[in-house]
């Protein structure tokens, strides 16, 4: 499968959504990406990426329940689609294949 159209940041966001197993929303995805990448990222960049990935058919979303803590606002929860999972697996395979071809890592010393 081609991984065309998936950038590095998009891949990080997809991975964060997968890790959160259907409970991921804007701020939780932001925190997950920051935790693992060591980067400081803007919430707006995460939101734009989540919706772009949804437009590409790699994520789907639904509104969660409201809470008083959030002023009765509902969270938009994201889940990865079958197509999104296929993209992640394809990306992983390409990376592993290329890592295996680096001569400096295969000298046996």
């Amino acid at each position: 499968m081609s991984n065309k159209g998936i950038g590095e940041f998009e891949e990080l966001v997809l991975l964060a959504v997968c890790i959160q197993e259907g409970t991921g929303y804007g701020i939780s995805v932001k925190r997950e990406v920051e935790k693992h990448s060591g980067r400081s990222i803007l919430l707006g960049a995460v939101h734009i990426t989540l919706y772009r990935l949804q437009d590409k058919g790699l994520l789907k979303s639904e509104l969660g329940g409201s809470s008083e803590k959030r002023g009765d606002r509902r969270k938009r929860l994201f889940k990865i689609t079958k197509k999104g999972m296929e993209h992640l697996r394809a990306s992983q395979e390409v990376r592993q294949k290329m890592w295996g071809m680096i001569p400096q890592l295969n000298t046996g010393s």
Side-chain angles (χ1 to χ4, degrees), residues 102-109:
I102 297 174
Q104 296 89 338
L105 298 177
N106 295 312
T107 59
S109 57

Side-chain angles (χ1 to χ4, degrees), residues 17-78:
V17 169
C18 280
I19 289 168
Q20 296 181 349
E21 295 185 288
T23 63
Y25 60 100
I27 192 73
S28 70
V29 170
K30 175 187 181 298
R31 289 180 183 145
E32 195 73 37
V33 172
E34 287 179 334
K35 176 181 164 185
H36 295 288
S37 71
R39 297 182 190 173
S40 177
I41 56 176
L42 297 173
L43 181 57
V46 172
H47 279 134
I48 289 168
T49 303
L50 286 168
Y51 286 107
R52 187 172 52 236
L53 291 168
Q54 184 170 274
D55 289 345
K56 291 180 178 180
L58 305 179
L59 291 178
K60 59 184 176 184
S61 69
E62 62 185 26
L63 288 174
S66 62
S67 69
E68 280 187 39
K69 183 179 177 185
R70 292 180 42 86
D72 289 329
R73 290 179 309 159
R74 300 167 72 187
K75 295 177 186 172
R76 179 156 295 279
L77 303 173
F78 288 86

